[in-house]
Amino acid sequence: MGKLSRDFYDRDTVQTARALLGKYLVRRWHGLWLAGRITETEAYVGAVDKACHAYGGRRTPRTETLYAPPGTAYIYLIYGMYHCLNFVTEPAGTPSAVLLRGLEAAEGAEFLARNRFGKALAELTPYQKKNFLNGPGKVCRALDLTRAQNGLDLTGDELFLWDAGEAPPADIHVGKRIGIDYAEEAVDFPWRFYL
């Protein structure tokens, strides 16, 4: 058990998206440790997936990180305001990744709340507590992740995934991915996994 190695990411993206549930995302931030248990993921496979930024071999400055070695952080900006964290999977040069959609706070919740809402954890409303880390933009804001961390090695010490040795989640839900109505047949791929 411990930090996930590059081998964990160097495999089928859909299997990786499912296997990430229950693992912990850890961030070293201003000398502190922030962490959350992964509760929701989505797989994106460039070779066959019209929802993937690199579908059909598309290479742009934005998508270049998708071609990096497995175990690389791919962070992009959507709608000009929300950052999204992905974990690059499969061999280098194969543009595929897992989008992190949700966490539950595990370490440093007070700082996660201040980053996300600008106030103490005890001051959050019931609505804010319920919707604390249930979206990719919310997760990145709470962990203070931006394009500045794009390309980080997930086997390093600043941002990584941790296996605490817990039993795999027993009740994993599978469904269609969210917010990809433009992706034709890929809309129906059952590549979203959540607890």
Side-chain angles (χ1 to χ4, degrees):
M1 304 309 105
K3 190 184 295 184
L4 299 183
S5 70
R6 195 164 314 283
D7 288 343
F8 179 89
Y9 307 96
D10 191 7
R11 59 180 174 156
D12 178 81
T13 304
V14 177
Q15 290 176 0
T16 305
R18 186 181 186 102
L20 280 165
L21 294 177
K23 303 290 190 281
Y24 290 82
L25 177 65
V26 181
R27 168 109 202 261
R28 185 143 178 90
W29 179 78
H30 299 290
L32 303 168
W33 294 107
L34 305 178
R37 184 171 176 259
I38 296 175
T39 59
E40 186 176 357
T41 62
E42 289 180 350
Y44 288 85
V45 182
V48 297
D49 183 1
K50 291 178 182 170
C52 183
H53 295 161
Y55 172 69
R58 185 179 316 121
R59 283 185 103 130
T60 66
R62 178 189 191 195
T63 65
E64 197 59 35
T65 306
L66 278 170
Y67 292 87
T72 300
Y74 169 47
I75 301 177
Y76 60 87
L77 188 66
I78 58 169
Y79 311 126
M81 59 195 311
Y82 301 114
H83 288 93
C84 296
L85 170 62
N86 298 255
F87 312 119
V88 175
T89 55
E90 306 201 22
T94 307
S96 298
V98 175
L99 170 66
L100 176 62
R101 287 201 54 85
L103 292 176
E104 58 185 28
E107 182 70 33
E110 186 66 40
F111 297 98
L112 294 170
R114 289 194 181 278
N115 287 342
R116 170 96 166 79
F117 297 108
K119 58 186 177 181
L121 189 62
E123 297 172 348
L124 301 186
T125 66
Y127 179 83
Q128 289 171 327
K129 288 178 184 175
K130 180 180 178 187
N131 295 287
F132 189 11
L133 299 169
N134 63 345
K138 297 172 186 179
V139 167
C140 282
R141 182 160 191 145
L143 289 167
D144 192 26
L145 293 171
T146 67
R147 291 266 307 147
Q149 288 76 42
N150 182 50
L152 275 179
D153 182 348
L154 296 170
T155 65
D157 294 325
E158 183 178 344
L159 183 69
F160 55 89
L161 289 108
W162 184 268
D163 183 345
E166 300 168 353
D171 194 17
I172 294 175
H173 301 275
V174 179
K176 297 178 184 180
R177 296 170 296 176
I178 296 171
I180 58 164
D181 297 342
Y182 58 86
E184 299 177 9
E185 72 279 355
V187 168
D188 295 319
F189 294 175
W191 289 355
R192 176 175 165 242
F193 303 95
Y194 58 101
L195 302 179

